Amino acid sequence: MSTPTRTAPNPEAEFARAVAAELGPQWSPRPATWPGRFQLVDGRGGRLVLLPGTVRALLPDTKARDLRYGPSSPEIGVTPRSPRYVAGHIRRRLLPQYAAARDERQALIRAQRTERRERALVAQQIADELAATMPDILIRSDAPYRRQTTVIGAGSKPLSATAVVGASGATISLTIEGLNAEQAGVVTDLLKRLA
């Protein structure tokens, strides 16, 4: 017959559970990826990490291509005197910063997605116009951090075109080689329509 084993209570887990209870019923503790550390998670995707003398709010994960830059995860220093003391500082100091950082991050993501759509529309417009003289058109979205889209057109030798559409479609760099007079006129009209 085996005797039941007792595990020693984990003081960090107990403290995290008590802080979560002080913050309200929507908060619950979970083990963090760091050994002996705990996250407090709310029902709306908020995550706080309890570290020695610090509470850090973690911003939602996004794909790297969605956001090149943005706000840092806010954090506060707080002495862990009691769960009520820590929860009070979280409520008063950290949660307002956290809400502002999350809002700023979402606004930046929306702005970058809008910029990418506008750039793609201009690139498609250029591709449609070039298709009249160049049957093979390729639109290549470059690395997101470069914020540009390239349109490559290939016609009968030696006709070729490369258009690089900059941020929001506001700038276009166009390189064309091997045009005859008629094709040059088509490209000139294209440039006038895009201006």
Side-chain angles (χ1 to χ4, degrees), residues 114-137:
T114 299
E115 185 274 329
R116 198 176 307 127
R117 269 194 308 276
E118 290 170 355
R119 185 169 15 105
L121 287 172
V122 171
Q124 187 60 54
Q125 184 181 2
I126 291 170
D128 292 345
E129 294 289 338
L130 289 175
T133 56
M134 296 178 199
D136 297 324
I137 301 291

Side-chain angles (χ1 to χ4, degrees), residues 58-77:
L58 301 178
L59 292 170
D61 293 332
T62 56
K63 295 177 187 169
R65 64 181 266 123
D66 287 336
L67 192 62
R68 293 180 12 207
Y69 59 90
S72 300
S73 293
E75 67 181 44
I76 59 170

Side-chain angles (χ1 to χ4, degrees), residues 46-145:
R47 296 181 304 151
L48 308 176
V49 178
L50 300 176
L51 301 167
T54 303
V55 180
R56 178 176 298 146
L58 301 178
L59 292 170
D61 293 332
T62 56
K63 295 177 187 169
R65 64 181 266 123
D66 287 336
L67 192 62
R68 293 180 12 207
Y69 59 90
S72 300
S73 293
E75 67 181 44
I76 59 170
V78 60
T79 305
R81 290 184 187 162
S82 71
R84 178 172 288 179
Y85 181 81
V86 172
H89 279 274
I90 290 172
R91 243 188 256 102
R92 190 178 76 250
R93 294 172 45 212
L94 184 59
L95 292 181
Q97 291 177 36
Y98 190 32
R102 287 174 78 172
D103 291 346
E104 181 183 352
R105 185 176 184 86
Q106 287 306 312
L108 288 169
I109 289 171
R110 281 192 302 274
Q112 281 193 303
R113 288 179 180 161
T114 299
E115 185 274 329
R116 198 176 307 127
R117 269 194 308 276
E118 290 170 355
R119 185 169 15 105
L121 287 172
V122 171
Q124 187 60 54
Q125 184 181 2
I126 291 170
D128 292 345
E129 294 289 338
L130 289 175
T133 56
M134 296 178 199
D136 297 324
I137 301 291
L138 170 69
I139 299 176
R140 185 180 73 219
S141 204
D142 293 328
Y145 63 86

